[in-house]
């Protein structure tokens, strides 16, 4: 694997990353046309970006509303203790919790920001009650229910133009 920092990216590499971040299933020939390359050099660049770890995978963007009722909740979490072991325990518990679809360690007044997707508010509350009762080390949390999505783009889009 090529270390990502050692890889020199030019405008075409950036264009490839930007298109793939929005349209992961784009046909390779269409991608090549969009970034003004012939297919073989475009595929070579894609392979190099994948080998460098800049492209970690390809996913489908699922329309959760089409699957049925659900709630999305952002949760700020403060831990009981700020020992390294406490953070490791919490992170292991969260890694095994399917309803938590995103977790970020953050600076400031809280330790973590979670993104939770649950069937309903009751299922979300059951999850949080379980985390509080577990040995995950939660001191307190604040929840923010998503009332409507306003913007939901892959992060690379904003970084890559």
């Amino acid at each position: 694997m090529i270390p990502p920092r050692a890889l020199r990216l030019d405008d075409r590499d950036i264009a490839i990353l930007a298109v793939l971040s929005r349209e992961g299933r784009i046909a390779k020939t269409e991608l090549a046309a969009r970034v003004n390359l012939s297919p073989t050099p475009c595929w070579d660049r894609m392979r190099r970006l994948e080998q460098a770890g800049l492209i970690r995978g390809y996913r489908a963007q699922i329309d959760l509303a089409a699957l049925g009722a659900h709630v999305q909740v952002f949760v700020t979490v403060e831990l009981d203790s700020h020992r390294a072991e406490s953070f490791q325990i919490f992170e292991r518990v969260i890694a095994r919790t399917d309803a938590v679809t995103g977790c970020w360690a953050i600076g400031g007044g809280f330790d973590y920001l979670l993104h939770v997707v649950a069937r309903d508010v009751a299922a979300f509350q059951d999850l949080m009650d379980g985390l509080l009762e577990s040995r995950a080390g939660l001191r307190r949390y604040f929840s923010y229910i998503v009332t409507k999505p306003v913007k939901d783009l892959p992060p690379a889009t904003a970084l890559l133009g």
Side-chain angles (χ1 to χ4, degrees), residues 15-121:
I16 289 169
L17 291 171
V19 170
L20 288 175
S21 74
R22 291 186 298 262
E23 304 171 58
R25 285 190 58 166
I26 189 172
K28 290 180 181 176
T29 53
E30 175 65 18
L31 174 62
R34 292 270 256 332
V35 299
N36 201 26
L37 282 172
S38 59
T40 300
C42 184
W43 299 338
D44 290 343
R45 285 173 181 258
M46 277 182 58
R47 194 172 320 109
R48 184 173 53 94
L49 295 168
E50 288 170 351
Q51 290 172 347
L54 288 169
I55 298 173
R56 295 189 326 209
Y58 301 87
R59 300 180 191 185
Q61 187 174 355
I62 307 298
D63 181 356
L64 294 175
L67 290 176
H70 70 284
V71 294
Q72 293 187 67
V73 186
F74 285 95
V75 183
T76 54
V77 171
E78 182 181 346
L79 298 184
D80 282 330
S81 168
H82 289 116
R83 296 185 347 246
E85 180 185 19
S86 299
F87 290 107
Q88 293 166 359
I89 290 168
F90 177 79
E91 290 173 14
R92 280 195 301 269
V93 168
I94 293 304
R96 294 189 310 263
T97 307
D98 290 339
V100 178
T101 61
C103 176
W104 301 268
I106 57 175
F110 297 98
D111 299 314
Y112 292 94
L113 174 66
L114 309 179
H115 179 245
V116 177
V117 178
R119 277 187 326 277
D120 53 31
V121 173

